Amino acid sequence: MTSKTATGREASATGGVPAARRGWTLVLAGMGAFLCSLDVVVVATALPVLRTHLNASLSDLEWTINAYNLAFACLMLTGSALGDRFGRRRIYVTGLAVFTAASAACALAGGAGALVAARVVEGAGAALLLPLTLTLISDVFPVEKRGAAIGLWGGITGLGVAGGPVLGGAITDGLAWQWIFWINVPVGLVMIPLSATLLRESRGPRPHLDLPGQVLAGLGMFALTWAPVRAPAAGWDSPEVAGALAAGAVLVVLFLLWERRAAHPMLPLAYFRLRAFSSANAVIFLQAVSLLGSLFMITQLFQIGLGDSPLETGLRLLVWTGMPMVAAPLSGALADRVGPRPLMVGGMVLQAAGFGWLAAATAPDVGYGTLVGPLVLAGVGTGMIFATTAGAATAAVPAGDVGVAAGTNTALRELGGVFGIAILAAVFAHEGGYASPESFVDGFKPALWVAAGVAVAGVVAALCVPAKAGIAATETAPPRASVSPRP
């Protein structure tokens, strides 16, 4: 009797959601985030092997990562909108199925072109998955526990980042590069029925899809990401790149004009007047430019510049990639008490300092011990950003639009990653190359200085975040929202 009463009180306090379902939601949504983040970085330690086995160029290597990120970024808002319209659980399960099938296609690819094509589909599946992980968690956790839950989500995401280089290196050394994709298949096949059974179904407040908005946003994101991806090969001043940037800018303007008049906009523009929402999204974009570009370069530094194997590279990078597993959960819980701004500012300062220190310390004969300090510093900063930006962005909007906020935050993170890889690769190619370890280091150092500079810009954006979560309640509420932004 006592147990039933306690269970009933607990379910009532969390909107009728039992603790067991909240636990399963955190596990299954966390695993979805883990798979998506893992497949951003698991390829990184296999890049030199792919360059040899598939006779891939620098451009091909960029595309093995950017094809995934390109589809990911372009379709993120669409994934959120589909979840709001047709059911978040249903679209999440669909995303799992697409991601699993595409992973198998990646493993079966016989050349660089086939691998890139499969990575596009895999990124599309991830775009259905990742924004809904935050929405599913926010739907079942009460406001007072949401920061801690999102912090755990950030820690699981960090586990994917941390485990990716190690797992990719171990598999590439011990089996074959194809197995970095085969490992997703059994995990996905287990998660599909569990998610269909144990997740709670929910929908957003908009009864209709904003199809014109979907098309304009997708095409605009595609053009804006295509430009930096092609820039290292075609040149930033080429007609192709300049045309893509111009087309992207025009499409984004058209998207904004349409959203102002749409009856059911996929992204209410008034949310960008909320300081918590706009500044948190600026921080995650700049952080991703710095982080993903650095990841692309650092994994190659250990193998090409310092002569490590893929497995050795993954293990040595754990001092960097493992830090978010510790820092993200602690930062998420702490943000509920002190607000997100000090954590975001501190995280971006540490990331900037870590990458700047790494750029200064790197030399052809540098020892691993010299690189540990800057890698740890940057890793702690990264973990402090993961959970706090997502929590701040989703807390700034009405409860029904958490999916929109999560999709926007995640889309900008992926868009930043594409720009980061392209920009740092362009700097690297201009200053150095693959001819020798010395030549690689010559290109690596200025590329990492650029990453540190972008992180400094992220510090400025973080200073604009409200001191306390919920400050958006005092700001101008979006006129089309059915309720005011949450306090």
Side-chain angles (χ1 to χ4, degrees):
M1 180 70 176
T2 302
S3 175
K4 290 182 179 179
T5 303
T7 301
R9 282 200 302 267
E10 185 178 27
S12 176
T14 57
V17 182
R21 173 158 284 186
R22 294 201 307 272
W24 273 110
T25 300
L26 186 57
V27 169
L28 291 169
M31 282 300 299
F34 172 82
L35 288 176
C36 294
S37 60
L38 178 72
D39 267 54
V40 173
V41 297
V42 74
V43 179
T45 45
L47 290 176
V49 174
L50 291 174
R51 186 164 68 95
T52 302
H53 287 197
L54 299 180
N55 195 27
S57 64
L58 174 62
S59 177
D60 292 331
L61 295 180
E62 287 184 73
W63 272 108
T64 61
I65 296 178
N66 279 334
Y68 179 87
N69 286 341
L70 187 67
F72 207 174
C74 292
L75 298 176
M76 195 74 63
L77 288 173
T78 300
S80 296
L82 290 173
D84 285 351
R85 172 64 180 86
F86 295 109
R88 291 154 178 166
R89 180 182 65 189
R90 178 182 298 174
I91 298 301
Y92 187 76
V93 171
T94 302
L96 279 171
V98 173
F99 185 89
T100 302
S103 296
C106 288
L108 294 170
L115 177 59
V116 168
R119 288 282 281 172
V120 170
V121 181
E122 192 180 38
L128 299 180
L129 282 176
L130 192 57
L132 294 180
T133 61
L134 279 171
T135 312
L136 291 165
I137 290 171
S138 297
D139 179 59
V140 298
F141 279 89
V143 173
E144 64 274 10
K145 295 183 179 180
R146 196 167 294 152
I150 292 177
L152 289 172
W153 169 89
I156 297 170
T157 302
L159 178 62
V161 174
V166 178
L167 193 59
I171 291 172
T172 302
D173 273 357
L175 294 171
W177 66 263
Q178 290 88 343
W179 283 93
I180 63 178
F181 299 109
W182 279 125
I183 59 174
N184 294 332
V185 176
V187 177
L189 292 177
V190 170
M191 285 183 63
I192 288 171
L194 288 177
S195 298
T197 305
L198 298 172
L199 294 178
R200 184 168 85 159
E201 185 63 283
S202 63
R203 288 176 169 80
R206 293 175 181 77
H208 303 289
L209 283 176
D210 177 17
L211 292 178
Q214 308 272 341
V215 173
L216 289 171
L219 291 177
M221 293 282 279
F222 179 81
L224 289 177
T225 49
W226 178 269
V229 166
R230 287 288 299 144
W236 284 96
D237 58 349
S238 67
E240 177 187 357
V241 173
L245 287 172
V250 170
L251 287 164
V252 168
V253 170
L254 292 175
F255 169 72
L256 297 177
L257 292 173
W258 171 259
E259 293 300 283
R260 291 184 62 184
R261 63 183 293 272
H264 304 284
M266 67 182 295
L267 177 59
L269 299 184
Y271 287 156
F272 286 98
R273 296 203 300 268
L274 305 178
R275 196 152 51 96
F277 182 79
S278 57
S279 54
N281 283 316
V283 170
I284 197 62
F285 175 80
L286 293 169
Q287 193 252 3
V289 171
S290 175
L291 175 65
L292 269 295
S294 298
L295 176 69
F296 180 76
M297 297 308 308
I298 292 170
T299 53
Q300 296 185 77
L301 168 71
F302 276 80
Q303 296 177 69
I304 297 171
L306 305 182
D308 292 330
S309 71
L311 178 57
E312 288 171 336
T313 296
L315 290 172
R316 291 190 170 195
L317 286 178
L318 272 177
V319 297
W320 174 35
T321 58
M323 290 300 107
M325 287 190 294
V326 178
L330 292 176
S331 299
L334 193 58
D336 287 335
R337 298 185 180 183
V338 303
R341 184 170 69 189
L343 295 162
M344 287 191 205
V345 171
M348 292 309 303
V349 166
L350 291 178
Q351 184 167 313
F355 289 153
W357 184 3
L358 190 65
T362 299
D365 58 348
V366 68
Y368 175 63
T370 304
L371 305 181
V372 169
L375 289 173
V376 169
L377 205 64
V380 172
T382 298
M384 293 170 68
I385 297 298
F386 272 171
T388 50
T389 51
T394 54
V397 305
D401 274 345
V402 166
V404 173
T408 303
N409 188 258
T410 312
L412 287 171
R413 187 179 78 184
E414 298 309 314
L415 181 63
V418 173
F419 270 83
I421 292 172
I423 291 169
L424 266 64
V427 173
F428 167 80
H430 184 266
E431 300 292 336
Y434 291 109
S436 66
E438 292 77 13
S439 176
F440 186 91
V441 171
D442 287 342
F444 176 87
K445 289 173 72 69
L448 261 288
W449 279 119
V450 170
V454 173
V456 170
V459 175
V460 178
L463 288 169
C464 298
V465 175
K468 289 286 186 180
I471 204 76
T474 66
E475 302 182 36
T476 304
R480 292 188 185 277
S482 57
V483 293
S484 298
R486 293 197 304 275

